[in-house]
Amino acid sequence: MPVRKWGWIASSLLLVVFSITGCALLQNPPVAELPPSRLTCDANPNMVDGNLETVGTFQAHGSIRKMYFEEGTVEFNANPKRYQINHDGTLKTETLIKLDKPTYVAYIEIYPGSDIPKLAIDFTAEEKSLKWRNSFVAVQDRRHRDVKNQQKVWLPIRQEVLYLRITADGIEDRKGQTRVESDDRRFSYGIVTPLKGAKIREVKIYERM
């Protein structure tokens, strides 16, 4: 085959490759990680300090009360579990991350420091106001799923963000369990299990350039 024809074919192939690459770049604009200096987390500063060796812990404000029915009561005979569970306080834990200004966030990465039950992410681009909490939008991807074995979580956002809210269920602290007596004649005694917060080593936020 003539040299000129080979050159034409090579040039055509290069043109196709560059065209495909250019289209990919247009469809996937570059992203950059927000530096820790642009992030604030008053409750858990270690979650956004840029150091994967430090750990932030959710603050838990609740406990689980398991009351056992007295033998011989109607409830004891009718309930196959033979106990009743009540919650004191709240099962939910929460932390709030603020960006220095409203920013178009492409995605976030969460680096767990423990198992995280029922992880959920919400965000808003609004400043705090009387109706501020109603302005949060839920991220539906992997919502309320359990994170196991400290596996990194990647979540697309693709929206403008000023505040990022991370919520999770508290974890039963079985080492802190206590036995309580009951004033209700239906129950013989109860076990109270305090809740502790899950841990996160780092939350990384990536903006679209």
Side-chain angles (χ1 to χ4, degrees):
M1 185 179 290
V3 175
R4 288 184 178 179
K5 193 167 186 179
W6 276 114
W8 180 84
I9 292 173
S11 299
S12 299
L13 289 173
L14 284 173
L15 181 61
V16 170
V17 170
F18 282 122
S19 297
I20 293 173
T21 304
C23 290
L25 289 174
L26 289 174
Q27 293 174 0
N28 300 288
V31 298
E33 180 184 349
L34 269 65
S37 59
R38 292 191 56 190
L39 305 176
T40 304
C41 184
D42 293 335
N44 284 294
N46 286 340
M47 290 186 184
V48 293
D49 62 0
N51 185 353
L52 288 172
E53 299 302 318
T54 60
V55 177
T57 303
F58 286 94
Q59 296 179 6
H61 303 283
S63 61
I64 296 175
R65 184 182 297 264
K66 183 183 289 187
M67 304 301 297
Y68 291 86
F69 292 114
E70 182 71 48
E71 188 173 354
T73 62
V74 174
E75 291 83 0
F76 180 87
N77 297 324
N79 191 333
K81 291 185 176 180
R82 297 182 178 177
Y83 59 79
Q84 176 179 297
I85 293 181
N86 298 310
H87 303 132
D88 298 322
T90 176
L91 291 176
K92 295 292 181 184
T93 62
E94 174 184 306
T95 198
L96 198 67
I97 297 172
K98 184 180 181 182
L99 284 62
D100 61 339
K101 61 182 179 180
T103 301
Y104 188 94
V105 173
Y107 60 89
I108 66 171
E109 293 176 341
I110 298 175
Y111 293 78
S114 70
D115 290 348
I116 307 177
K118 303 295 187 292
L119 177 70
I121 309 297
D122 305 277
F123 66 89
T124 182
E126 303 293 329
E127 285 284 3
K128 287 188 176 182
S129 66
L130 293 176
K131 297 182 179 180
W132 176 68
R133 284 199 168 269
N134 295 329
S135 70
F136 276 83
V137 177
V139 177
Q140 297 299 335
D141 193 272
R142 295 191 64 179
R143 191 166 185 83
H144 294 143
R145 295 187 185 180
D146 295 337
V147 179
K148 298 288 188 180
N149 302 318
Q150 300 186 33
Q151 292 294 314
K152 183 181 75 173
V153 178
W154 182 93
L155 290 172
I157 304 296
R158 304 189 185 100
Q159 296 286 340
E160 193 171 75
V161 175
L162 181 59
Y163 287 93
L164 190 72
R165 183 173 65 197
I166 306 176
T167 58
D169 279 2
I171 300 171
E172 292 186 30
D173 182 7
R174 298 187 182 278
K175 292 182 178 179
Q177 285 181 335
T178 56
R179 177 184 172 120
V180 296
E181 302 303 322
S182 175
D183 295 331
D184 190 328
R185 292 183 178 179
R186 294 178 303 161
F187 304 107
S188 55
Y189 68 96
I191 298 293
V192 176
T193 306
L195 296 176
K196 60 182 180 180
K199 300 179 183 295
I200 290 179
R201 293 186 288 131
E202 197 68 25
V203 178
K204 295 187 177 184
I205 300 176
Y206 294 83
E207 67 173 327
R208 188 177 71 181
M209 302 301 290

